[in-house]
Amino acid sequence: MAYRRTPAVQARLDAQREAVLQAAVGLLAERGYGGCSMAAVAERAGIATGSMYGHFANKAELSVELFRRVVTREVAAVHDAVARHDTPRDRIAAVVETFAARALRAPRLAHALLVEPADTVVDAERLVFRRTFRDVLAAEIAAALAAGRLPPQDPQLTAAAIVGATAEALTGPLAAVPPPGPGAAPDAVVPALVSFTLRALGERDDSDA
């Protein structure tokens, strides 16, 4: 007869897995992927290294799960920010502003998500990450087009270009040594990116007055 875990055992394993992922998120924010070895995460989580392999087959599998967890949080933050605005212009601005501001407030974490060399499986997740933000932005661009607020354009293509440009523009500040501390994001970067986005879309922003 196959062994079946009791609810108590399963609950304990689920709690341990959650502790591992929380520990990994903390290490990623402090040290990047290079600091997220199985042994380091186990130590931070307070478990034996061998116990890690009951949850993840290797570091690559852990890294993918870790990446997805952090990205899910970031995407949710963008959706929440967009929902607080009513006009197409403000909703589009909210996507870029939230993405960039959160990255600059947690530079080590954002650097790991966007550009740090990592396993090929993480690179594949990065493509999904960018496409997710592209789709969020494209939906808002399409709504602005439907409302007659923007000149004709391909929402997906424009959104992809803006996401790529935003990520590239953030690369320098995120890689600064030492990086800016939490809450110390350069004041000019986020407004400049929002202004760039609105101009790229063909809409005037306040600086055009």
Side-chain angles (χ1 to χ4, degrees), residues 13-25:
L13 290 172
D14 290 346
Q16 187 177 79
R17 180 185 173 88
E18 179 62 25
V20 166
L21 285 170
Q22 288 184 9
V25 170

Side-chain angles (χ1 to χ4, degrees), residues 160-200:
I162 290 171
V163 169
T166 299
E168 180 63 25
L170 290 172
T171 297
L174 295 179
V177 180
D187 291 340
V189 174
V190 175
L193 284 172
V194 172
S195 179
F196 163 80
T197 296
L198 296 175
R199 290 172 186 270

